[in-house]
Amino acid sequence: MNSHIVYQVLDLVGTFVFAISGAVAARQRRLDLFGILSVAFVVACGGGIVRDVCIGATPPAALSDWRYLATSMLASAVTIAAYAKVRRLRFPVLFFDAVGLGLFAVSGAQKSLTYGHNAELAILLGTVSAVGGGVIRDMLLSRVPSILEREIYASAALLGALVFVVSAEVGAMSAWTPWVATAVCVGVRLLALYYGWRLPVYRGTKARREDARTRTNA
Amino acid sequence: MNSHIVYQVLDLVGTFVFAISGAVAARQRRLDLFGILSVAFVVACGGGIVRDVCIGATPPAALSDWRYLATSMLASAVTIAAYAKVRRLRFPVLFFDAVGLGLFAVSGAQKSLTYGHNAELAILLGTVSAVGGGVIRDMLLSRVPSILEREIYASAALLGALVFVVSAEVGAMSAWTPWVATAVCVGVRLLALYYGWRLPVYRGTKARREDARTRTNA
Amino acid sequence: MNSHIVYQVLDLVGTFVFAISGAVAARQRRLDLFGILSVAFVVACGGGIVRDVCIGATPPAALSDWRYLATSMLASAVTIAAYAKVRRLRFPVLFFDAVGLGLFAVSGAQKSLTYGHNAELAILLGTVSAVGGGVIRDMLLSRVPSILEREIYASAALLGALVFVVSAEVGAMSAWTPWVATAVCVGVRLLALYYGWRLPVYRGTKARREDARTRTNA
C-alpha cells in the first residue's frame, strides 16, 4: 500500500473519531445543529490547522480538502442520529479518543517531516495535532483544558510522536513504524486510564498552605 | 467603480461597525482606554487576521495596513465620546452588527478566491472572517462564544459567503454579486432576529435526563 | 558584539523569565509535571509563535530552535526545585516579568523589521510578542486576560516597541537603541507598579447605572 495513502487514512479515521467526541460535547451543551457541526469540525481539525499554519502549509488541508469537512459532517450526523446510543458508550468514546490521539500524533509528525523540518518541530507539532483540537474545544467552552489537569494524555501523544520521529531520524523507518508508534501512544493512554497512572504533582505542605491563603485573599 | 475599491470599502465599513460593538463590550466590562482599543481592534480584525494567515497572505492586512488600525481607533473614540447614546441604541447595534457580518462574509470569501484557492476554502474563510472576531472576543472575556448558543448568526454568514462563491464559480459574477450576497446574509440575520428563527436543537427526553444526571454528578 | 547575537540573548533571557512566571502559575493550579512544562513553554513562547506566523517566518523559531524549549524546561526545573523560594519572591517575579516584557517588545519589533515589514507591523507585533504568551495563558486557564483589566502593562510594551521602531525609522539606530527601548518599557512598567499609575477608565454616572441594570437583568 502506498505510504502516502496510509497517512491519509490515519488522518481521516482520526478526524472521524475526534469529530464524534466534539459532537457529543456540543450536544450535551444543547448547541444547535450549526453549533454541533462547528464544534465537531474544530475538535477534529483544529490541531491540524495549527500544525499546517506553523509549517507554512497554507491553506491548511483541513480547510481546503473537502474530505475533512465531509468526515466531520458525517460524524456529526451519526452522533445526532444515534445520540442515545453514543452517549452510553463511555468506554468506546474513551477508546476511540485514544485511537484518534495516536493517529494524529503520528500523522502530524510525519507531515512536518515531509515538509523538511527538523525532529524537534515534528515531535512538538505531532503533539499539537493530537491535542490541539481538544484544547481549542475547551477554550471555546470556557473551561480549563482537561489535558492540563488530567491523567497521562498529551504526554502519551508526545511519546507516540517521539517514537515515530526517532525511528525516522535513525533510519529505522519501515512500513510498520507508523503503526508501532500509534500503538505505543494508544497503549500508554489506555493503560494510564485503566491503572489510573498520573504524572507527579508537586505540592510541598508549606507551599500548599501559602497557595491556599493566596487564593482565599485573592 | 473599480471592483478592488468596492471590496476595500466593504472591509473598512465592516471594520468600523464591528469595532464599535467591541468597544461597547469592553466599556461595559470597565476596561481602561488601552483595553477598549485592544478589544475593538481584535473584534474588528481578528477574523481577517486568521483568514490571512490561513491563505498565506502574511503579514495580515489588518496588521500592516494602517487604515484598519485607524478605523478601529476612530470607532473606539466615537464609542467613548458618545457612549451614553451608543449604549441605548439596541436596535442600531444589532443592525450594524448584521451589516458587518454580511460585509465581512463577502469580502473574506472574495479575498480567498483572489489568492487562487478553491470554493470550499473561500466559503469557510468568508464565514471565519465574519464571525472570528466575535469568537476571539468571547474567548478573551471568558464566556462561551454567543455564536455557538445563539440564533442564526454564523449560518447567515455561511449563506452569504455561499451565495457569493457559487455565483463566482458558475460564472454568474457581476457588479451586483457582492451586494446581493451581502444583502442575503444581512436579510437572513435580521429576519431571524425579528421572527426569532432558530436552528433545530436536538434533545430526546431520555438523553436529556441522562445529561442532567451527568452534570449533577460531575 | 555582533548585533544578531544581542537580539538572540534578549530573546532567550526573556524566554527564561516568562517561563518562570508560567511555571509558577501552573504550579499554583496544581498541574502535573507535563502541565507545568506546557504552560511555561506557552507563556514564554506563545507571543513569539504568533508573531512568527504573522510575518510568515514559518516554522516559528520557538518550535524549531531547541534553545527555546531547553530554556523553558530549565526554568520549569528551577521553579519546581525551588518553588517555596520562588513563590515568596513577589517583587522579583514582578521585576523579571517587567524585564521580559521589555526584552520581548524590542526583540519582537526587531525581528519584524528584519523581515522587511513596515513600522506599524513592527510596533504591533513587538507588543504581541511581549504580551501574547500571557494572554494565551489566561485564555487557557479560563480567566479574563489580566492585561485587559490591569495597570499599565501592554501599553508599556507598546511604548518600548514604539521607541525602538521610531529610532530605526528615523535612522537614529545605534548599539544603544535596543537597550534604551527595553529600559523605557521596563522603567514605565515598574514606575506604574510603584506609583499605581492607571490609564483612564470611562464611566459616566448615568451609563454606569444603566450597565448595572443590564447586568442584573441579563
Side-chain angles (χ1 to χ4, degrees), chain B residues 5 7 10 13-15 19 21 38 40 61-62 74 89 99 111 113 120 131 133 138 145 152 163 167 181-182 184 188:
Chain B
I5 293 178
Y7 294 107
L10 286 185
V13 174
T15 301
S21 96
S38 306
L74 180 63
L89 304 175
V99 171
K111 182 160 189 179
L113 290 179
E120 183 197 337
V131 306
D138 291 342
I152 289 165
V163 168
S167 303
T182 301
V184 166
V188 167

Side-chain angles (χ1 to χ4, degrees), chain A residues 43-131:
Chain A
V43 172
C45 299
I49 290 172
V50 171
R51 175 200 64 210
D52 286 356
V53 165
C54 283
I55 60 177
T58 52
L63 293 174
S64 60
D65 181 338
W66 64 271
R67 289 174 301 180
Y68 291 92
L69 184 58
T71 303
S72 301
M73 292 175 76
L74 181 64
S76 301
V78 168
T79 306
I80 290 172
Y83 182 66
K85 285 205 182 101
V86 171
R87 258 210 102 265
R88 246 168 292 140
L89 305 174
R90 170 160 300 273
F91 180 67
V93 166
L94 285 173
F95 176 77
F96 283 118
D97 186 71
V99 172
L101 193 74
L103 295 170
F104 273 5
V106 170
S107 71
Q110 195 271 343
K111 182 160 188 179
S112 184
L113 290 179
T114 305
Y115 273 73
H117 298 309
N118 66 22
E120 183 198 338
L121 189 76
I123 294 168
L124 288 176
L125 289 181
T127 311
V128 166
S129 307
V131 306

Side-chain angles (χ1 to χ4, degrees), chain C residues 98-142:
Chain C
V99 172
L101 194 74
L103 295 170
F104 274 5
V106 169
S107 70
Q110 195 271 344
K111 182 161 188 179
S112 185
L113 289 179
T114 305
Y115 273 72
H117 298 308
N118 66 23
E120 183 197 337
L121 189 76
I123 294 168
L124 289 176
L125 288 182
T127 310
V128 166
S129 308
V131 306
V135 169
I136 296 174
R137 175 198 62 208
D138 291 341
M139 289 169 79
L140 278 177
L141 300 180
S142 247

Side-chain angles (χ1 to χ4, degrees), chain B residues 24 27-36 38-39 41 49 53 57-70 80 83-84 87-88 90 135-136 138-143, chain C residues 53-57 117-118 120-121 124-125 127-128 135 138-139 142-145 147-152 154-155 158 198-204 206-208 210-212 214-215:
Chain B
V24 169
R27 233 204 102 159
Q28 283 179 346
R29 300 283 296 227
R30 308 265 177 92
L31 302 188
D32 66 18
L33 177 58
F34 194 86
I36 294 175
S38 306
V39 174
F41 184 65
I49 290 172
V53 165
T58 52
L63 293 175
S64 60
D65 181 338
W66 63 271
R67 290 174 301 180
Y68 291 93
L69 184 59
I80 289 172
Y83 181 66
R87 258 210 100 266
R88 247 169 292 139
R90 171 161 300 273
V135 169
I136 296 174
D138 291 342
M139 288 169 79
L140 278 177
L141 299 180
S142 248
R143 54 194 196 198
Chain C
V53 165
C54 282
I55 61 177
H117 298 308
N118 66 23
E120 183 197 337
L121 189 76
L124 289 176
L125 288 182
T127 310
V128 166
V135 169
D138 291 341
M139 289 169 79
S142 247
R143 54 193 196 200
V144 175
I147 65 153
L148 287 178
E149 297 193 319
R150 205 157 57 161
E151 329 84 2
I152 289 166
S155 35
L158 183 71
R198 291 178 178 277
L199 290 172
V201 178
Y202 302 94
R203 29 190 162 186
K206 199 166 157 197
R208 188 167 51 199
E210 280 175 28
D211 283 349
T214 310
R215 268 198 301 275

